[in-house]
Amino acid sequence: MVMSQFPRKVMALASRLWRFLPSGRVAVPGLRLPTRVTGGRGSCVQGLSGSEVIGNPGAFKRSLIFSALSYLGFETYQLLSSAAVVHATAKVFRVEEILQQADYLYESGETEKLYQLLTLYKESEDAELLWRLARASRDVAQLSRTSEEEKKALVYEALEYAKRALEKNEASFAAHKWYAICISDVGDYEGIKAKIANAYVIKEHFEKAIELNPKDATSIHLMGVWCYTFAEMPWYQRRIANMLFAAPPSSTYEEALGYFQRAEQVDPNFYSKNLLLLGKTYLKLQNKKLAAFWLLKAKDYPAHTQEDKQVQAEATQLLTGFSGKN
């Protein structure tokens, strides 16, 4: 709206100034413009009389036109500056509106609608919008009705969005978190060597996400998953890792437990899988009493998603395998 009004304002300003420009050989009574007269080793300034102005009207007209154009240029600059500020402000408000819509759809579980909304802005340079698009792409890939071919394309698409989000804002904890998650997903298509090599990068970005936001339980949980995965690594994968890397990634169940406990302290009962992994880690550490405690919590967790249902089933199965006594 502001930009559409701009040409009319400039034309109106030009018309207003044009009325003051001289037309033809018209004298200006009483006006004396200074002119420099050079003589000898010095110079002096003399005045031009009205008759002298009539004798040389071109110089006067050029001077007045130059002054008018300078004023017009200044006024144009002010209009442009004002329009730019309004446009930038409107853009910020527009992004905030999109993010609010996206968060509402995410909380409502409208995975495909969220993806459709955010892909309209896939060329955006806003990190907050881009990491949400990475998350949405990954969520659509996880749907049971998504074909294997589509899933692979979405996984790589999600990584690209997460990478761009990180490039736009390295101080975004969520960009670091989703970049790490997406790299992990891509590893499923690139073989064991790439997966192990990527593990270093994944760990680095999870740790950075936690550093930037120590209250984000999800980042802490995912760091626990990383530790649990390498503590549980099968012997043949460990052997491959030792052959390929001088110092392959490694961890312990104790480290994993520390992260799962910390996530629970930050945000109790925030995620059914954190409860399940607390139980499973205590099982690995031969503490059946605490394992039973957390597995029961996982089994009784309200099932809002398909993953929650899977967690309930696994917790129930594990609980039937032992008496719950230490």
Side-chain angles (χ1 to χ4, degrees):
M1 183 68 178
V2 173
M3 294 303 293
S4 65
Q5 292 175 349
F6 173 71
R8 291 199 299 272
K9 290 183 178 180
V10 172
M11 292 303 296
L13 181 62
S15 299
R16 199 162 63 246
L17 287 171
W18 189 255
R19 292 200 302 269
F20 293 98
L21 296 179
S23 58
R25 298 171 61 86
V26 178
V28 182
L31 179 64
R32 298 178 61 84
L33 300 176
T35 181
R36 185 167 294 276
V37 179
T38 304
R41 298 178 60 185
S43 62
C44 64
V45 178
Q46 294 181 343
L48 286 174
S49 66
S51 60
E52 289 171 321
V53 171
I54 293 174
N56 188 16
F60 168 72
K61 185 171 184 178
R62 284 194 299 271
S63 175
L64 190 55
I65 290 173
F66 179 77
S67 298
L69 289 175
S70 297
Y71 177 70
L72 178 61
F74 175 72
E75 288 292 318
T76 303
Y77 167 77
Q78 285 189 316
L79 285 170
L80 279 171
S81 299
S82 176
V85 169
V86 172
H87 180 67
T89 304
K91 186 177 180 181
V92 169
F93 282 132
R94 178 61 177 154
V95 170
E96 287 300 318
E97 181 184 334
I98 296 164
L99 295 181
Q100 287 176 7
Q101 292 175 20
D103 290 345
Y104 174 78
L105 290 172
Y106 181 75
E107 293 299 328
S108 302
E110 297 284 358
T111 303
E112 290 171 301
K113 287 183 180 178
L114 172 60
Y115 176 73
Q116 291 165 5
L117 169 68
L118 291 177
T119 49
L120 296 174
Y121 308 98
K122 63 183 179 181
E123 301 304 325
S124 171
E125 297 187 356
D126 187 272
E128 292 296 303
L129 196 152
L130 288 169
W131 73 251
R132 284 172 171 82
L133 180 51
R135 180 182 65 184
S137 302
R138 183 180 185 272
D139 287 347
V140 173
Q142 300 284 322
L143 294 175
S144 58
R145 56 182 170 272
T146 302
S147 70
E148 283 301 314
E149 186 178 347
E150 290 173 324
K151 180 177 180 179
K152 183 177 179 180
L154 285 163
V155 162
Y156 279 92
E157 182 182 306
L159 177 60
E160 184 59 32
Y161 293 137
K163 181 180 178 181
R164 284 174 52 203
L166 198 56
E167 289 171 352
K168 299 303 177 185
N169 184 6
E170 290 188 356
S172 168
F173 84 92
H176 283 280
K177 176 172 67 178
W178 286 99
Y179 182 63
I181 292 170
C182 293
I183 289 178
S184 179
D185 290 343
V186 164
D188 294 337
Y189 296 97
E190 299 190 346
I192 186 66
K193 182 177 179 180
K195 199 170 183 70
I196 294 172
N198 287 340
Y200 296 100
V201 180
I202 292 167
K203 182 182 181 184
E204 176 188 341
H205 285 282
F206 280 148
E207 288 176 336
K208 188 63 177 179
I210 295 169
E211 177 189 329
L212 290 168
N213 186 2
K215 296 298 183 183
D216 181 50
T218 307
S219 297
I220 301 168
H221 164 81
L222 290 169
M223 192 63 237
V225 172
W226 188 96
C227 294
Y228 188 93
T229 300
F230 283 99
E232 193 183 42
M233 180 183 283
W235 66 269
Y236 65 91
Q237 289 188 4
R238 199 178 302 279
R239 186 173 180 180
I240 294 172
N242 286 327
M243 290 171 60
L244 295 173
F245 303 97
S250 63
S251 189
T252 65
Y253 290 118
E254 286 82 3
E255 283 184 287
L257 181 63
Y259 282 110
F260 295 141
Q261 288 174 329
R262 181 178 166 189
E264 205 61 32
Q265 289 166 359
V266 167
D267 191 0
N269 296 314
F270 77 102
Y271 186 28
S272 62
K273 199 162 187 177
N274 197 65
L275 303 175
L276 175 68
L277 283 169
L278 275 164
K280 291 176 71 171
T281 306
Y282 274 117
L283 269 181
K284 295 290 186 180
L285 295 172
Q286 304 300 312
N287 189 332
K288 291 185 177 181
K289 185 175 182 179
L290 284 174
F293 173 81
W294 290 106
L295 290 173
L296 279 168
K297 286 178 73 71
K299 183 177 79 72
D300 295 336
Y301 191 90
H304 298 298
T305 66
Q306 186 63 35
E307 185 181 45
D308 291 335
K309 294 176 183 178
Q310 292 169 355
V311 164
Q312 284 182 344
E314 186 175 354
T316 301
Q317 185 178 8
L318 288 169
L319 282 166
T320 60
F322 64 93
S323 62
K325 295 181 180 179
N326 192 15

